[in-house]
Amino acid sequence: MPDYESLWSGLGIDLKPHTELLEALLPLYQEVYLSQKNRPRGMEYFDFVVGEIHGLRVQELNDFRRQGGKVVGTFCIYVPEELVLAAGGVYVGLCAGVEVGTAQVEAVLPRNICPLIKSFMGFKLARLCPYFESCDLLVGETTCDGKKKTFEILADYAPVHVMEVPQKKEAPDQELWLAEIKKLVARLEELTGKKVTYESLRKAIWQLNAKRRALRRLAELRRADPPPISGLDALLIFQIAFYDDVERFTEKVNALCDELEERIHQGVGVVPPGTPRLLVTGTPMAIPNWKLPHLAETSGAVIVAEELCTGYRYFQNLTEEEGGSLEELLVNVARRHLAPHCACFTPNGGRLEDIERLIQEYRVDGVISYILSFCDPYAVEHYQVEKFLKAQGVPVLKAETDYSMQDAGQLKTRIEAFVEML
Ligand code: BJ8
């Protein structure tokens, strides 16, 4: 990697622990990713992006900022990316998947809180994330209680705008959500000094839909038996989707899909045909959280679909592109961004329907219900998921875990036993 030290120190990064963090990440990547057999050639680009994880993209963001551009950090798929683009900004997803800055975090948050929240706060408080430090505004949301209250604390450290996400999807909730969308537009316009216009929003919707279509294409190619790409590689692409340049990323995913189509045509897969096929459902897996897919795919199974925010929930819905006015386009954006089925909503039967559809379309043999420790919405909703799957005769394994590797051995034994009986 080129020398980015002056870039990082300019952003106020604590260089010594930051170097240690990067030095720990690369061997992990080697072990989890580069040791996989028969990967598609098109993964080279995504390997390069990880090799440059705090380098090239951060440089691009800061070049953009030097020219007057604004960068907006987000934490949830309910926050519409197209609004940031339409206001002339660039967005980055800041959810994080590694234990960092624990001492600093535990000084302000309870110990027993979701590891995803601890991780993004750890990156901020320990000054270890150049993406965080490149943001001119952070957009939080009132999804789970942990995040909602953490954004109040985060506001002591950076400018934060919080969107009120309703907990139901009925007419008054839709109205509230449209008002929240408009408030975000006003805040973004104030930040960038640029108006969100009919043309700029239409263009942004097209760009984002092209990205979602490419990801859908990638996902659908995994219906093949054998699948042409591993669940681990697919997850990596979904994780990178949150911060890479939209057009470049879309082009690279489509190029990879061309290769995967050719592989399917030739009967080439990453596992032998008939390998047990898994669906993972539950809490998001933010980069570099690759623990569960690594354990599953080294236990004789292959993951073919993810009912996760780092998966299906992120790209399943397109924003309606037709609209005769800016107001109509904003309504389309609001409608699309209330569509995913996060466990923060009640009731959340749509999630069960999505799970059922994925099981059928991807010929799934078993489901892993993945829950980050202390995530109440998904931990409690597991009851509905398990009841629903049992009624359908689909085997389900509950995997409640965090970012440490302490339970990896035990989890692997449970996954192996689960895969054996599929
Ligand atoms: S739409 S899943 S990205 S809220 S894992 S912080 S819910 S305690 S990340 Fe999420 Fe939006 Fe929902 Fe998706 Fe809270 Fe649970 Fe932690 Fe979570």
Side-chain angles (χ1 to χ4, degrees), residues 334-407:
R335 192 176 302 130
R336 188 268 169 208
H337 286 85
L338 205 53
H341 301 298
C342 172
C344 295
F345 281 80
T346 185
N348 197 29
R351 181 173 167 219
L352 302 181
E353 287 165 20
D354 284 347
I355 291 173
E356 185 179 27
R357 187 168 40 250
L358 289 170
I359 289 172
Q360 282 165 6
E361 291 176 356
Y362 290 77
R363 288 174 286 161
V364 166
D365 299 303
V367 174
I368 298 186
S369 171
Y370 174 73
I371 301 158
L372 280 174
S373 324
F374 310 110
C375 171
D376 288 346
Y378 284 89
V380 177
E381 197 164 277
H382 171 79
Y383 171 86
Q384 309 289 359
V385 172
E386 188 172 46
K387 188 171 83 171
F388 181 76
L389 292 174
K390 279 194 172 157
Q392 312 238 337
V394 180
V396 55
L397 176 76
K398 180 180 180 185
E400 193 162 354
T401 186
D402 57 17
Y403 292 165
S404 82
M405 290 308 279
Q406 277 169 7
D407 62 350

Side-chain angles (χ1 to χ4, degrees), residues 298-319:
T298 52
S299 299
V302 62
I303 295 172
V304 292
E306 300 79 10
E307 193 280 312
L308 305 176
C309 290
T310 43
Y312 185 72
R313 269 182 240 139
Y314 181 63
F315 52 76
Q316 77 185 104
N317 301 296
L318 301 181
T319 303

Side-chain angles (χ1 to χ4, degrees), residues 4-15 18 127 130 133:
Y4 292 111
E5 227 168 87
S6 60
L7 171 68
W8 294 331
S9 54
L11 288 167
I13 295 296
D14 194 349
L15 291 178
H18 180 253
R127 291 182 290 117
E133 304 312 319

Side-chain angles (χ1 to χ4, degrees), residues 75-78 95 113-117 120 141 143-147 242 282-284 308-310 313 340-345 371-378:
F75 303 85
C76 179
I77 62 162
Y78 284 99
C95 286
I113 195 167
C114 156
L116 189 146
I117 297 173
F120 74 67
E141 65 330 298
T143 45
C144 68
D145 288 351
K147 270 203 205 175
F242 286 87
T283 47
L308 305 176
C309 290
T310 43
R313 269 182 240 139
H341 301 298
C342 172
C344 295
F345 281 80
I371 301 158
L372 280 174
S373 324
F374 310 110
C375 171
D376 288 346
Y378 284 89

Side-chain angles (χ1 to χ4, degrees), residues 40 43 46 211-224 228-230 233-238 249 252-254 256-257 260-261 264 304 315 362:
M43 285 309 295
F46 302 97
K211 174 163 100 163
R212 294 173 188 132
R213 284 193 183 98
L215 291 169
R216 275 158 73 156
R217 186 179 165 206
L218 169 67
E220 285 165 14
L221 291 169
R222 296 163 72 201
R223 292 178 182 170
I229 186 168
S230 66
D233 277 335
L235 173 65
L236 182 71
I237 295 167
F238 302 149
F249 175 85
K252 295 294 181 185
V253 174
N254 277 320
L256 173 70
C257 290
L260 298 185
E261 276 171 5
I264 293 171
V304 292
F315 52 76
Y362 290 77

Side-chain angles (χ1 to χ4, degrees), residues 52-66:
E52 283 279 338
I53 194 157
H54 282 181
L56 192 60
R57 184 67 184 136
V58 177
Q59 181 77 65
E60 287 176 351
L61 294 176
N62 283 280
D63 291 347
F64 174 69
R65 293 175 82 208
R66 257 198 300 278

